[in-house]
């Protein structure tokens, strides 16, 4: 999302050549969701450019291609998976977690398929799974089943918290669009590993977004005090101010955990002037 149109010239400098855009984003936030990899595996040369623009501790959470997760549903997908893993090699440690987002139709009865898939994955990467079938959140047996499989594989369960978003009716075009597309599931805030990943969706109204994330501030503070190293992604329906909000979330956590490292100073969006 480092080329999001709403940020250009306001939060990020514009125009920027393609090989500089991520560098500017990385001065705002120290992690990014790799959602575009779901639709197409990038060229290795493109990924090498991503590595060149970021520090070694920058975190990419990259989504596995849809041919693996949605079309093949984790079976007979070795070729596509191999191409993807080869393409992201230049990232090295920056590939913090590979994100296995499963379709809403992937049910508790499909968990054995996931277990087999996870067992065959190379140990060179960390893995995090996002499920959207309601039974995983409402049926205690299904929850335990999935948690057991993920724990055995040292994989994380990514919650996508939309509870704040669905707390009130949509009030903008972006919210109305998201209303029909985003999953409406109970909130989950249990970490299975020492590096949990959270996806949070607020509202276009910043005050409502901040109010809705207070639960996560408490959870993340506890995780940090336990020695965990969480990655939190803050979204709104239009994402116009997402980097600003992400830094505000970090500030709220850091106010309670002062030893947490500060975020970098954002690069100016406009060129410096003499006056």
């Amino acid at each position: 999302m480092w080329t999001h149109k709403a940020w250009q010239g306001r939060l990020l400098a514009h125009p920027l050549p393609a090989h500089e855009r991520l560098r500017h984003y990385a001065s705002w936030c120290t992690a990014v969701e790799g959602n575009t990899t779901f639709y197409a595996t990038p060229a290795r040369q493109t990924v090498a450019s991503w590595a060149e623009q970021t520090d070694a501790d920058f975190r990419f959470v990259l989504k596995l291609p849809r041919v693996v997760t949605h079309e093949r549903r984790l079976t007979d997908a070795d070729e596509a998976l191999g191409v993807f893993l080869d393409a992201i090699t230049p990232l090295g440690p920056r590939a913090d977690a590979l994100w296995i987002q499963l379709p809403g139709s992937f049910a508790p009865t499909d968990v054995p398929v996931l277990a087999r898939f996870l067992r065959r994955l190379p140990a060179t990467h960390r893995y995090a799974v996002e499920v959207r079938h309601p039974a995983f959140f409402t049926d205690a047996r299904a929850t335990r089943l999935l948690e057991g499989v993920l724990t055995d594989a040292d994989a994380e369960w990514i919650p996508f918290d939309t509870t704040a978003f669905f707390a009130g009716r949509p009030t903008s075009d972006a919210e109305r669009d998201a209303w029909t597309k985003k999953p409406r599931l109970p909130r989950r805030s249990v970490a299975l590993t020492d590096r949990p990943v959270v996806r949070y969706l607020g509202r276009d109204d910043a005050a409502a977004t901040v109010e809705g994330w207070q639960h996560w501030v408490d959870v993340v503070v506890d995780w940090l005090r336990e020695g965990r190293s969480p990655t939190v992604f803050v979204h709104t329906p239009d994402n116009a101010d997402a980097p600003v909000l992400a830094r505000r979330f970090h500030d709220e956590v850091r106010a309670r955990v002062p030893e947490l490292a500060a975020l970098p100073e954002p690069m100016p969006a406009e060129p410096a002037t003499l006056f």
Side-chain angles (χ1 to χ4, degrees):
M1 278 208 59
W2 56 83
T3 60
H4 192 43
K5 185 177 181 179
W7 305 343
Q8 296 175 14
R10 188 171 64 90
L11 304 180
L12 308 182
H14 179 75
L16 280 174
H19 65 276
E20 288 289 334
R21 294 169 187 167
L22 176 55
R23 189 186 312 279
H24 280 240
Y25 169 88
S27 73
W28 278 86
C29 299
T30 55
V32 72
E33 288 181 349
N35 189 57
T36 59
T37 55
F38 178 73
Y39 301 100
T41 294
R44 189 176 174 125
Q45 183 179 359
T46 299
V47 177
S49 171
W50 299 349
E52 291 167 0
Q53 294 179 65
T54 52
D55 294 335
D57 59 354
F58 186 87
R59 298 180 180 187
F60 288 84
V61 177
L62 298 171
K63 192 184 291 188
L64 261 60
R66 62 181 170 185
V67 65
V68 175
T69 56
H70 286 57
E71 296 173 17
R72 302 289 179 82
R73 295 176 68 91
L74 309 183
T75 60
D76 301 323
D78 289 356
E79 182 177 356
L81 179 63
V83 170
F84 173 77
L85 293 176
D86 179 71
I88 66 171
T89 299
L91 291 180
R94 297 170 184 81
D96 183 64
L98 300 189
W99 171 15
I100 305 169
Q101 186 186 78
L102 298 171
S105 60
F106 196 93
T109 54
D110 297 308
V111 170
V113 176
L114 174 62
R116 289 192 294 271
F117 180 76
L118 291 172
R119 284 196 296 267
R120 299 179 65 242
L121 290 173
T124 49
H125 292 286
R126 294 177 57 249
Y127 302 95
V129 176
E130 180 185 339
V131 291
R132 295 188 169 187
H133 193 287
F136 289 117
F137 300 86
T138 59
D139 184 329
R141 291 175 298 177
T143 302
R144 289 194 299 268
L145 176 64
L146 181 57
E147 285 181 340
V149 165
L150 296 177
T151 299
D152 289 345
D154 196 27
E156 190 54 81
W157 181 336
I158 299 182
F160 184 23
D161 182 9
T162 61
T163 55
F165 173 69
F166 284 112
R169 299 293 301 177
T171 59
S172 68
D173 288 343
E175 288 190 348
R176 280 185 282 273
D177 182 61
W179 194 269
T180 64
K181 296 177 179 178
K182 302 303 181 184
R184 189 184 304 213
L185 297 166
R187 182 168 58 200
R188 173 187 164 82
S189 48
V190 177
L192 300 180
T193 70
D194 63 349
R195 299 180 79 172
V197 180
V198 173
R199 306 181 65 230
Y200 167 75
L201 176 65
R203 302 294 299 255
D204 285 340
D205 176 64
T209 298
V210 171
E211 180 182 359
W213 78 33
Q214 293 309 309
H215 166 84
W216 288 112
V217 172
D218 293 339
V219 170
V220 169
V221 166
D222 287 343
W223 283 344
L224 290 167
R225 289 172 176 166
E226 292 167 358
R228 304 182 197 265
S229 182
T231 301
V232 179
F233 295 110
V234 175
H235 290 274
T236 65
D238 63 12
N239 278 317
D241 294 312
V244 176
L245 289 165
R247 292 178 69 90
R248 181 170 175 179
F249 180 90
H250 185 276
D251 287 343
E252 289 195 20
V253 172
R254 192 164 181 250
R256 294 171 55 183
V257 187
E259 61 271 27
L260 180 64
L263 290 172
E265 188 67 25
M267 292 183 178
E270 298 177 357
T273 63
L274 294 176
F275 305 99

